[in-house]
Amino acid sequence: MHATSLLNFSTIPLTSLKQNLIVPTHQRMTINFGVYNKLFLILVTLFIFTASCSTFRVLFPPPEPDELLEDMPEVPREFRAAWIATVANIDWPSEPGLSTKKQKADLRLMLDRMVAMNMNAVILQVRPGADAIYLSAYEPWSEVLTGEMGKAPTPFYDPLAFAVEEAHKRGVELHAWFNPFRAFHSTSKSKISADHISKLNPKIVREYGNYLWLDPGSQAAQDHSIRVITDVIQRYDIDGVHLDDYFYPYKQQDSTGAVIDFPDDLTWVRNSKGLAREDWRRDNVNSFIERLYAEIKRVDPQVRFGISPFGIWRPGFPAGIKGFDAFTEIYADSRKWLQNGWVDYFSPQLYWAIGKPGQSYPVLLNWWHLQNDHKRHLWPGNFTSRIGSGGGIDWKAGEIIAQVEATRESLHSEGNIHYSIKALMEDRDGLAGTLAGETYKVPALVPATTWLGGATPGIPEINIRQYANTTELTMNPADGETAWLWAIHTYGGENWKLEIIPGWKHIYKLEESPDFVAVSAVSRLGIEGEAASVRTSLR
C-alpha cells in the first residue's frame, strides 16, 4: 500500500492498519488496540463523537525506507540501439568533406536524439572497408570523412575518440562496428591511397566484381583484421565490438549475368584441410569468429562482442521459412556461432514484416531463441529505414512498433537495434515521437552481461539538500569504485518515477520534491548494485 492511500475500515483488519484511513462515522465498531498508539485511539474517539455522517482522514508518516524499497519497481531492462552507418555516407557524416565543426555538431544531434528517446546505445561503423574513421597505424583514413582516402579531417580531430566521449557523456553505450573482410566498397569514388592494404599486401586481397575483398581463407588476412580490431579495443574506451552480415561477399554477376565465384583458388589449394570447398569457406569464417571472440576477451574481458547476421540461417529452419540461404551463399554458419557461445549478443537482421508468412518476424525470433544454448543476449535488428522508403515496400511506423512489442512479448529477447538512425532523426511517419512518448517512455538499462564476471557495485553514498524550489541530490560511489550509470527512483504523491543518468554526475537536481529517493550504481556490464535510500519529507 502507498503512504497516502485511502482505506475503508469495513474491509481492512484494524490490527493491520498502518496507513491513511477513511472511517464511516455511522458504523459501530469495537477496537482492540492493545499497545497500539494511544494517540491514535484518542483521535479516532474524538472524531467519531464530533462528526456527523461524514468521513475523516487520519494521516500517518510515510512508510519507512525499508518498506518502500520492498515496493520499489525494478528498473526495466531493454537494449535500445541504432546503427550509425558511415559507408557511402548513409548516416554520418551525411556527405564527404563536411567541416570538422559540422561533423561534430551532427553527431551530437544524433546522440541527443538517443537520449531524448530513452535509447541507450549506438553502433557506429568505424571500418567500412579496410579504412578507418579514427587515427590508425594499420589502415588509412576513410574517404567518407573528407572525400579522399588517407586524408585526415581538417582541423584535425579523431572521430571515434570524439564519438566515445560524447556518447559516454550522455550515458549512451558505443559499440564499434567493423566490416572484417570488405576492402573497398563499390560506391567508393576516391583513389585508393598508398597505405591501403591492397597496396601494402596485395597477396591477401581479391578483386570481386565492383569490390576488393580480404580473402577469409588467408591466415594473414584474418590476422590483419583481428589486429585492427584489438588495436581499437586497446586505444578507445568502446563498450562493444560489432560485426554485421558481410563475411564472404554476396554473389556478384559478370556482364553476361553469370555468377562470379570468389577468386580464392590459390588459397584453397594451399589450405583446404581436406574439406570440401564450401565447408572450407564456412570453416574459415567459423575459425575467425571463434578466434576473434577469444582475442577480444584477452585484451579486455568486459568488451562485449556482437554479430548481426542475415536473419535466416537456412530456408526451412523453422518449417515454412523461405528466402536467401546465407549458409551456402555467403558461407555464414551463424547458428553455430550462437550455439557455441562465441558472442555476447546476437542480433539477426529480422528485416521482414510480422505478417509475412515466409519470413515471419515472431516465428524467426522464437527459432533463434531455441538455438541460444548459452543464453546470450538476443537483440534482433529491425529494418526501421523501410518506413517511408518508397518503391512500394515502405512501411508505416506501426510495423516497427509492433515488432518491438513482439520482441517484448516473446520473453526471450530484451531489446532491438534499429537500422538505421536516419529514420529516427527524420522521425518518419512519427516513429521517433511514438517511441519517445509511448514505447520507450520509461528509461531502461541495458540487460546485464553477467557471464563476463563483472563485480556488483557497492552501496553509494547519497545526500539530499532541499531548497525553496528544488531538491538537490548528491551521489558518490562506494570506496574505490566508479559508476557507469545511476538509477534514481523517487516516490511522491503515490507514484514512482525512474531516471537513469550518467555515472560521472555527482550532483543532480530532481525535477520535483519527492518524499523518498533511492539510488543504485550500475556497472559497465549493466550490473546494478544495492540502492541507498533517504526519506526527504514527513507528509
Side-chain angles (χ1 to χ4, degrees):
M1 298 294 180
H2 294 300
T4 55
S5 298
L6 300 180
L7 307 178
N8 193 298
F9 269 23
S10 63
T11 58
I12 305 297
L14 288 175
T15 53
S16 68
L17 289 175
K18 294 183 179 180
Q19 304 192 28
N20 301 340
L21 311 172
I22 292 181
V23 184
T25 55
H26 62 276
Q27 185 169 337
R28 303 175 64 88
M29 289 170 287
T30 302
I31 303 174
N32 180 11
F33 285 93
V35 295
Y36 202 76
N37 194 316
K38 294 182 179 180
L39 177 60
F40 175 77
L41 180 58
I42 294 171
L43 288 172
V44 171
T45 304
L46 177 63
F47 276 106
I48 287 177
F49 285 99
T50 58
S52 175
C53 296
S54 61
T55 62
F56 67 88
R57 176 181 297 225
V58 180
L59 294 179
F60 283 86
E64 292 298 320
D66 286 348
E67 296 176 17
L68 280 168
L69 282 174
E70 291 179 2
D71 294 336
M72 187 170 70
E74 290 187 7
V75 181
R77 295 280 183 165
E78 189 171 40
F79 192 66
R80 302 171 179 174
W83 279 289
I84 301 179
T86 59
V87 65
N89 298 101
I90 291 174
D91 290 320
W92 181 82
S94 58
E95 60 183 85
L98 294 178
S99 68
T100 293
K101 182 178 180 181
K102 175 63 172 171
Q103 290 181 15
K104 287 183 173 181
D106 287 349
L107 188 59
R108 285 192 183 106
L109 285 175
M110 292 179 178
L111 295 171
D112 286 342
R113 176 60 59 90
M114 295 294 97
V115 173
M117 294 176 62
N118 280 326
M119 297 179 71
N120 48 36
V122 293
I123 299 175
L124 175 64
Q125 191 174 32
V126 301
R127 190 199 193 206
D131 54 359
I133 67 155
Y134 58 92
L135 181 61
S136 173
Y138 301 108
E139 295 187 319
W141 286 100
S142 176
E143 69 171 80
V144 303
L145 297 169
T146 64
E148 180 180 338
M149 183 185 291
K151 183 180 179 181
T154 305
F156 178 81
Y157 84 114
D158 185 321
L160 178 54
F162 174 78
V164 169
E165 179 182 3
E166 291 293 320
H168 288 179
K169 185 186 298 182
R170 293 161 173 79
V172 173
E173 289 189 1
L174 188 137
H175 296 228
W177 166 16
F178 299 83
N179 190 288
F181 298 114
R182 187 170 61 206
F184 193 71
H185 196 271
S186 61
T187 61
S188 298
K189 299 177 181 179
S190 173
K191 180 181 177 181
I192 296 176
S193 61
D195 54 349
H196 188 261
I197 190 66
S198 64
K199 303 291 186 181
L200 298 176
N201 193 358
K203 293 182 179 180
I204 66 172
V205 178
R206 306 285 177 258
E207 185 174 347
Y208 185 70
N210 297 324
Y211 296 87
L212 294 180
W213 214 266
L214 292 171
D215 186 349
S218 164
Q219 184 68 39
Q222 292 196 17
D223 291 346
H224 177 71
S225 289
I226 288 177
R227 186 183 307 115
V228 165
I229 294 170
T230 54
D231 169 62
V232 168
I233 297 171
Q234 290 170 329
R235 295 191 296 117
Y236 298 89
D237 190 23
I238 61 173
D239 299 285
V241 167
H242 186 91
L243 305 182
D244 56 20
D245 55 319
Y246 287 94
F247 297 96
Y248 278 87
Y250 286 81
K251 294 292 195 300
Q252 299 279 297
Q253 297 178 341
D254 63 19
S255 58
T256 69
V259 173
I260 305 171
D261 194 24
F262 188 74
D264 56 0
D265 291 346
L266 184 58
T267 318
W268 153 251
V269 169
R270 292 177 176 175
N271 305 295
S272 66
K273 306 177 186 178
L275 296 172
R277 192 149 181 175
E278 289 194 351
D279 293 334
W280 170 76
R281 286 174 173 170
R282 277 186 290 273
D283 184 67
N284 293 331
V285 178
N286 291 341
S287 61
F288 175 79
I289 297 298
E290 181 180 19
R291 181 182 165 203
L292 177 59
Y293 185 75
E295 285 296 302
I296 290 170
K297 299 310 178 217
R298 180 186 63 82
V299 176
D300 189 337
Q302 295 198 358
V303 169
R304 284 153 290 166
F305 178 42
I307 304 179
S308 179
F310 189 77
I312 298 171
W313 176 61
R314 303 204 69 182
F317 294 86
I321 293 297
K322 303 175 182 179
F324 182 80
D325 191 345
F327 184 85
T328 61
E329 295 293 321
I330 57 174
Y331 311 103
D333 190 358
S334 50
R335 182 176 71 168
K336 185 181 186 71
W337 315 333
L338 181 61
Q339 287 180 332
N340 287 349
W342 295 341
V343 293
D344 297 308
Y345 66 93
F346 197 73
S347 304
Q349 296 175 17
L350 302 187
Y351 284 180
W352 304 280
I354 284 182
K356 193 171 178 62
Q359 298 89 30
S360 168
Y361 182 97
V363 169
L364 282 166
L365 180 58
N366 183 66
W367 184 85
W368 280 113
H369 161 70
L370 296 175
Q371 317 312 309
N372 191 8
D373 297 340
H374 288 264
K375 308 302 180 187
R376 299 314 199 209
H377 298 307
L378 184 59
W379 301 328
N382 305 79
F383 201 173
T384 305
S385 286
R386 181 159 279 181
I387 297 174
S389 61
I393 59 170
D394 54 314
W395 292 343
K396 298 297 184 182
E399 175 63 39
I400 295 299
I401 298 298
Q403 291 180 13
V404 172
E405 293 298 338
T407 304
R408 292 173 172 177
E409 291 169 5
S410 73
L411 304 180
H412 309 312
S413 176
E414 296 177 300
N416 295 85
I417 309 177
H418 296 274
Y419 183 84
S420 66
I421 200 170
K422 179 180 287 188
L424 302 177
M425 297 302 294
E426 295 175 352
D427 192 19
R428 296 182 186 176
D429 195 34
L431 174 65
T434 302
L435 288 173
E438 299 177 18
T439 313
Y440 292 160
K441 184 176 182 179
V442 177
L445 293 174
V446 171
T449 308
T450 54
W451 55 88
L452 296 185
T456 300
I459 302 174
E461 177 185 321
I462 64 172
N463 291 286
I464 290 287
R465 290 188 177 90
Q466 290 185 299
Y467 301 99
N469 298 313
T470 186
T471 300
E472 186 178 87
L473 174 63
T474 302
M475 304 159 290
N476 288 292
D479 289 345
E481 296 183 4
T482 58
W484 159 237
L485 298 171
W486 299 114
I488 304 173
H489 286 276
T490 55
Y491 176 81
E494 299 188 12
N495 295 313
W496 286 98
K497 181 180 179 181
L498 170 67
E499 296 180 77
I500 298 173
I501 67 171
W504 61 267
K505 291 187 177 182
H506 296 283
I507 298 177
Y508 187 65
K509 291 184 179 180
L510 299 172
E511 294 180 2
E512 302 172 355
S513 296
D515 299 324
F516 175 81
V517 178
V519 179
S520 54
V522 182
S523 75
R524 288 286 287 271
L525 290 177
I527 300 171
E528 183 185 8
E530 185 177 344
S533 61
V534 61
R535 181 191 291 172
T536 62
S537 67
L538 293 175
R539 290 186 180 179

